[in-house]
Amino acid sequence: MEDVLSVYQRPYDPRRPQVCMDEISTQLLSHVAGREPMGVQPGHTAKQDYEYKRGGVANIFLDFEPLSGQRHATVTERRTKVDWAHWAKGLVDERYPDAERIVLVMDNLNVHSPASLYEAFPPQEAKRIADKLEIHYTPKHGSWLNMAEIELGVLRGQCLKGRIGEISTLGVKVAAWEHDRNALHTKVNWRFTNADARIKLKHLYPVIDE
């Protein structure tokens, strides 16, 4: 916990951007019966059947830079080691190609590991990508420390409420949300520090007998 909180106290440095990443899965649901078009009479509302067709589950990787207010969402069919590895390559080569190192905060899910890079790329390429990442894991049951989780909550509330039947449609909607959200440069002013943790979460620290 204190390791992640120490990262959040670092000043903004474009050469070493601080990036939080997380992902969510979303059920693809399509309408079976068509919607009734709105009538011409004022007050007439559209009618919609509650029956739906399941289209599987899609995954959304989100990387969020809280100090610059920029985020990027990647829609994938699955959440495997190879999927994460390709996400990491995109982070290094496409979104932060000029960074000396990317300070990456994420949970310790088994796919979130440099080892996953070796599942997807030749050893020299995997090592090149891994060497650009300074990884800091949130502790078990400490996902609230990951600011990407906060941003995913916003994504879910603003973009994923209605039925989305196709992964291509999901990609379009998520890309539009990302564009509008980035235009606002919405940042996070993280105020919880190690000093706060030692007081408010004192019960999580071991007791030392003197």
Side-chain angles (χ1 to χ4, degrees):
M1 176 176 64
E2 292 203 356
D3 175 56
V4 173
L5 292 176
S6 294
V7 168
Y8 290 164
Q9 292 301 301
R10 298 180 189 178
Y12 175 71
D13 184 350
R15 298 169 302 173
R16 301 178 71 90
Q18 298 175 30
V19 178
C20 301
M21 82 78 54
D22 202 354
E23 70 274 287
I24 56 171
S25 59
T26 182
Q27 179 77 52
L28 297 174
L29 301 173
S30 58
H31 297 279
V32 175
R35 296 184 180 186
E36 179 183 304
M38 294 182 66
V40 296
Q41 297 297 324
H44 186 103
T45 57
K47 295 181 180 179
Q48 177 179 317
D49 195 286
Y50 285 100
E51 187 178 0
Y52 59 84
K53 179 181 178 181
R54 295 182 183 273
V57 177
N59 176 69
I60 303 173
F61 289 113
L62 180 78
D63 46 271
F64 173 48
E65 189 182 354
L67 295 181
S68 71
Q70 296 296 295
R71 72 277 298 142
H72 178 76
T74 305
V75 177
T76 61
E77 293 182 355
R78 297 167 298 276
R79 185 190 63 182
T80 66
K81 292 181 179 180
V82 171
D83 292 310
W84 183 87
H86 283 281
W87 167 86
K89 186 177 189 302
L91 182 76
V92 167
D93 293 342
E94 298 172 15
R95 294 188 285 290
Y96 297 97
D98 299 324
E100 293 177 1
R101 213 151 186 227
I102 300 167
V103 182
L104 181 60
V105 175
M106 56 186 175
D107 63 44
N108 56 9
L109 188 69
N110 65 328
V111 302
H112 299 166
S113 167
S116 296
L117 298 170
Y118 290 84
E119 299 274 346
F121 307 113
Q124 62 272 23
E125 176 69 354
K127 187 176 188 307
R128 180 188 70 83
I129 298 169
D131 286 346
K132 290 291 293 288
L133 303 175
E134 178 189 321
I135 296 175
H136 298 264
Y137 290 111
T138 58
K140 187 177 181 180
H141 306 305
S143 62
W144 58 275
L145 289 166
N146 189 345
M147 285 189 264
E149 185 174 277
I150 300 172
E151 196 65 17
L152 280 175
V154 177
L155 170 64
R156 191 186 296 275
Q158 293 182 344
C159 185
L160 305 179
K161 282 187 174 181
R163 292 181 189 172
I164 302 174
E166 303 290 338
I167 193 170
S168 58
T169 304
L170 176 65
V172 170
K173 288 176 66 70
V174 169
W177 173 86
E178 174 191 315
H179 176 272
D180 292 346
R181 187 88 169 148
N182 283 340
L184 296 173
H185 296 282
T186 307
K187 305 176 184 179
V188 172
N189 182 15
W190 188 270
R191 299 185 176 218
F192 194 72
T193 66
N194 280 325
D196 297 320
R198 292 164 191 167
I199 296 172
K200 298 181 180 180
L201 301 177
K202 184 178 179 180
H203 63 284
L204 297 179
Y205 289 79
V207 177
I208 300 175
D209 294 326
E210 297 182 356

